PDB file of all heavy atoms in Angstrom:
ATOM      1  N   PHE A 596     -18.792 -94.440 -25.514  1.00 81.00           N
ATOM      2  CA  PHE A 596     -18.350 -95.852 -25.977  1.00 81.00           C
ATOM      3  C   PHE A 596     -19.564 -96.589 -26.576  1.00 81.00           C
ATOM      4  O   PHE A 596     -20.724 -96.424 -26.105  1.00 81.00           O
ATOM      5  CB  PHE A 596     -17.920 -96.594 -24.520  1.00 81.00           C
ATOM      6  CG  PHE A 596     -17.298 -97.833 -24.839  1.00 81.00           C
ATOM      7  CD1 PHE A 596     -16.024 -97.930 -24.897  1.00 81.00           C
ATOM      8  CD2 PHE A 596     -18.085 -99.110 -24.813  1.00 81.00           C
ATOM      9  CE1 PHE A 596     -15.334 -99.285 -25.076  1.00 81.00           C
ATOM     10  CE2 PHE A 596     -17.577-100.239 -25.007  1.00 81.00           C
ATOM     11  CZ  PHE A 596     -16.126-100.337 -25.226  1.00 81.00           C
ATOM     12  N   HIS A 653     -13.955-112.990 -25.012  1.00 95.00           N
ATOM     13  CA  HIS A 653     -15.151-112.264 -25.576  1.00 95.00           C
ATOM     14  C   HIS A 653     -14.730-111.664 -26.858  1.00 95.00           C
ATOM     15  O   HIS A 653     -13.722-111.159 -26.885  1.00 95.00           O
ATOM     16  CB  HIS A 653     -15.561-111.216 -24.552  1.00 95.00           C
ATOM     17  CG  HIS A 653     -16.641-110.381 -24.941  1.00 95.00           C
ATOM     18  ND1 HIS A 653     -17.727-110.671 -25.680  1.00 95.00           N
ATOM     19  CD2 HIS A 653     -16.761-109.090 -24.625  1.00 95.00           C
ATOM     20  CE1 HIS A 653     -18.578-109.499 -25.732  1.00 95.00           C
ATOM     21  NE2 HIS A 653     -17.971-108.668 -25.186  1.00 95.00           N
ATOM     22  N   GLU A 655     -16.208-109.223 -28.789  1.00 94.00           N
ATOM     23  CA  GLU A 655     -16.692-107.899 -29.121  1.00 94.00           C
ATOM     24  C   GLU A 655     -15.429-107.087 -29.719  1.00 94.00           C
ATOM     25  O   GLU A 655     -14.364-107.286 -29.158  1.00 94.00           O
ATOM     26  CB  GLU A 655     -17.370-107.084 -27.946  1.00 94.00           C
ATOM     27  CG  GLU A 655     -18.236-105.992 -28.364  1.00 94.00           C
ATOM     28  CD  GLU A 655     -19.124-105.442 -27.369  1.00 94.00           C
ATOM     29  OE1 GLU A 655     -19.110-105.894 -26.235  1.00 94.00           O
ATOM     30  OE2 GLU A 655     -19.956-104.579 -27.666  1.00 94.00           O
ATOM     31  N   ASP A 657     -14.052-104.319 -29.325  1.00 93.00           N
ATOM     32  CA  ASP A 657     -13.089-103.596 -28.447  1.00 93.00           C
ATOM     33  C   ASP A 657     -11.973-104.535 -27.988  1.00 93.00           C
ATOM     34  O   ASP A 657     -10.989-104.147 -27.549  1.00 93.00           O
ATOM     35  CB  ASP A 657     -13.791-102.910 -27.384  1.00 93.00           C
ATOM     36  CG  ASP A 657     -14.697-103.698 -26.539  1.00 93.00           C
ATOM     37  OD1 ASP A 657     -15.365-104.636 -27.085  1.00 93.00           O
ATOM     38  OD2 ASP A 657     -14.812-103.515 -25.219  1.00 93.00           O
ATOM     39  N   HIS A 658     -12.292-105.877 -28.037  1.00 94.00           N
ATOM     40  CA  HIS A 658     -11.217-106.795 -27.503  1.00 94.00           C
ATOM     41  C   HIS A 658     -10.625-107.684 -28.693  1.00 94.00           C
ATOM     42  O   HIS A 658      -9.654-108.195 -28.657  1.00 94.00           O
ATOM     43  CB  HIS A 658     -11.960-107.834 -26.572  1.00 94.00           C
ATOM     44  CG  HIS A 658     -12.561-107.060 -25.449  1.00 94.00           C
ATOM     45  ND1 HIS A 658     -11.926-106.409 -24.504  1.00 94.00           N
ATOM     46  CD2 HIS A 658     -13.912-107.062 -25.171  1.00 94.00           C
ATOM     47  CE1 HIS A 658     -12.775-105.807 -23.635  1.00 94.00           C
ATOM     48  NE2 HIS A 658     -13.969-106.091 -24.005  1.00 94.00           N
ATOM     49  N   HIS A 720     -21.068-110.309 -21.065  1.00 93.00           N
ATOM     50  CA  HIS A 720     -22.298-110.052 -21.275  1.00 93.00           C
ATOM     51  C   HIS A 720     -22.797-110.463 -22.682  1.00 93.00           C
ATOM     52  O   HIS A 720     -23.882-109.988 -23.168  1.00 93.00           O
ATOM     53  CB  HIS A 720     -22.662-108.480 -21.165  1.00 93.00           C
ATOM     54  CG  HIS A 720     -21.736-107.697 -22.157  1.00 93.00           C
ATOM     55  ND1 HIS A 720     -22.390-106.888 -23.060  1.00 93.00           N
ATOM     56  CD2 HIS A 720     -20.373-107.680 -22.522  1.00 93.00           C
ATOM     57  CE1 HIS A 720     -21.378-106.359 -23.851  1.00 93.00           C
ATOM     58  NE2 HIS A 720     -20.235-106.780 -23.492  1.00 93.00           N
ATOM     59  N   TRP A 721     -22.036-111.325 -23.416  1.00 92.00           N
ATOM     60  CA  TRP A 721     -22.417-111.813 -24.629  1.00 92.00           C
ATOM     61  C   TRP A 721     -22.573-113.362 -24.490  1.00 92.00           C
ATOM     62  O   TRP A 721     -21.881-113.907 -23.595  1.00 92.00           O
ATOM     63  CB  TRP A 721     -21.396-111.614 -25.796  1.00 92.00           C
ATOM     64  CG  TRP A 721     -21.584-110.246 -26.562  1.00 92.00           C
ATOM     65  CD1 TRP A 721     -22.362-109.181 -26.383  1.00 92.00           C
ATOM     66  CD2 TRP A 721     -20.895-109.904 -27.756  1.00 92.00           C
ATOM     67  NE1 TRP A 721     -22.195-108.287 -27.168  1.00 92.00           N
ATOM     68  CE2 TRP A 721     -21.460-108.671 -28.245  1.00 92.00           C
ATOM     69  CE3 TRP A 721     -20.070-110.701 -28.701  1.00 92.00           C
ATOM     70  CZ2 TRP A 721     -21.085-107.925 -29.404  1.00 92.00           C
ATOM     71  CZ3 TRP A 721     -19.679-110.070 -29.868  1.00 92.00           C
ATOM     72  CH2 TRP A 721     -20.209-108.793 -30.198  1.00 92.00           C
ATOM     73  N   ASP A 739     -15.235-108.519 -19.436  1.00 97.00           N
ATOM     74  CA  ASP A 739     -15.896-107.272 -19.076  1.00 97.00           C
ATOM     75  C   ASP A 739     -16.426-107.210 -17.636  1.00 97.00           C
ATOM     76  O   ASP A 739     -16.526-106.052 -17.204  1.00 97.00           O
ATOM     77  CB  ASP A 739     -17.107-107.068 -20.097  1.00 97.00           C
ATOM     78  CG  ASP A 739     -16.697-106.640 -21.527  1.00 97.00           C
ATOM     79  OD1 ASP A 739     -15.713-105.954 -21.556  1.00 97.00           O
ATOM     80  OD2 ASP A 739     -17.390-106.950 -22.431  1.00 97.00           O
ATOM     81  N   TYR A 768     -21.047 -98.563 -15.463  1.00 93.00           N
ATOM     82  CA  TYR A 768     -20.581 -99.591 -16.259  1.00 93.00           C
ATOM     83  C   TYR A 768     -21.527-100.757 -16.057  1.00 93.00           C
ATOM     84  O   TYR A 768     -21.958-101.524 -16.934  1.00 93.00           O
ATOM     85  CB  TYR A 768     -19.174 -99.958 -16.061  1.00 93.00           C
ATOM     86  CG  TYR A 768     -18.545-101.065 -16.956  1.00 93.00           C
ATOM     87  CD1 TYR A 768     -17.942-100.743 -18.107  1.00 93.00           C
ATOM     88  CD2 TYR A 768     -18.633-102.429 -16.597  1.00 93.00           C
ATOM     89  CE1 TYR A 768     -17.309-101.662 -18.970  1.00 93.00           C
ATOM     90  CE2 TYR A 768     -18.060-103.410 -17.442  1.00 93.00           C
ATOM     91  CZ  TYR A 768     -17.517-103.032 -18.619  1.00 93.00           C
ATOM     92  OH  TYR A 768     -16.956-103.969 -19.406  1.00 93.00           O
ATOM     93  N   ILE A 772     -24.023-102.344 -18.702  1.00 91.00           N
ATOM     94  CA  ILE A 772     -23.586-103.666 -19.419  1.00 91.00           C
ATOM     95  C   ILE A 772     -24.180-104.847 -18.702  1.00 91.00           C
ATOM     96  O   ILE A 772     -24.594-105.767 -19.390  1.00 91.00           O
ATOM     97  CB  ILE A 772     -22.012-103.720 -19.374  1.00 91.00           C
ATOM     98  CG1 ILE A 772     -21.376-102.571 -19.993  1.00 91.00           C
ATOM     99  CG2 ILE A 772     -21.542-105.000 -20.106  1.00 91.00           C
ATOM    100  CD1 ILE A 772     -21.395-102.396 -21.408  1.00 91.00           C
ATOM    101  N   SER A 798     -11.273-106.305 -18.307  1.00 97.00           N
ATOM    102  CA  SER A 798     -10.911-106.003 -19.694  1.00 97.00           C
ATOM    103  C   SER A 798     -11.027-104.479 -19.831  1.00 97.00           C
ATOM    104  O   SER A 798     -10.645-103.977 -20.876  1.00 97.00           O
ATOM    105  CB  SER A 798     -11.894-106.659 -20.627  1.00 97.00           C
ATOM    106  OG  SER A 798     -11.515-107.970 -20.726  1.00 97.00           O
ATOM    107  N   HIS A 799     -11.503-103.791 -18.873  1.00 97.00           N
ATOM    108  CA  HIS A 799     -11.499-102.339 -18.950  1.00 97.00           C
ATOM    109  C   HIS A 799     -11.303-101.750 -17.540  1.00 97.00           C
ATOM    110  O   HIS A 799     -11.832-102.336 -16.550  1.00 97.00           O
ATOM    111  CB  HIS A 799     -12.958-101.740 -19.402  1.00 97.00           C
ATOM    112  CG  HIS A 799     -13.275-102.182 -20.651  1.00 97.00           C
ATOM    113  ND1 HIS A 799     -12.911-101.757 -21.809  1.00 97.00           N
ATOM    114  CD2 HIS A 799     -14.212-103.189 -21.040  1.00 97.00           C
ATOM    115  CE1 HIS A 799     -13.462-102.344 -22.847  1.00 97.00           C
ATOM    116  NE2 HIS A 799     -14.340-103.261 -22.376  1.00 97.00           N
TER     117      HIS A 799
HETATM  118 FE1  FEO B1130     -15.553-104.706 -23.640  1.00 97.37          FE
HETATM  119 FE2  FEO B1130     -18.230-106.368 -24.346  1.00 97.37          FE
HETATM  120  O1  FEO B1130     -16.719-105.645 -24.799  1.00 97.37           O
END
Side-chain angles (χ1 to χ4, degrees):
F596 190 88
H653 169 41
E655 200 166 3
D657 51 326
H658 309 291
H720 64 118
W721 268 19
D739 283 328
Y768 185 91
I772 309 283
S798 290
H799 301 284

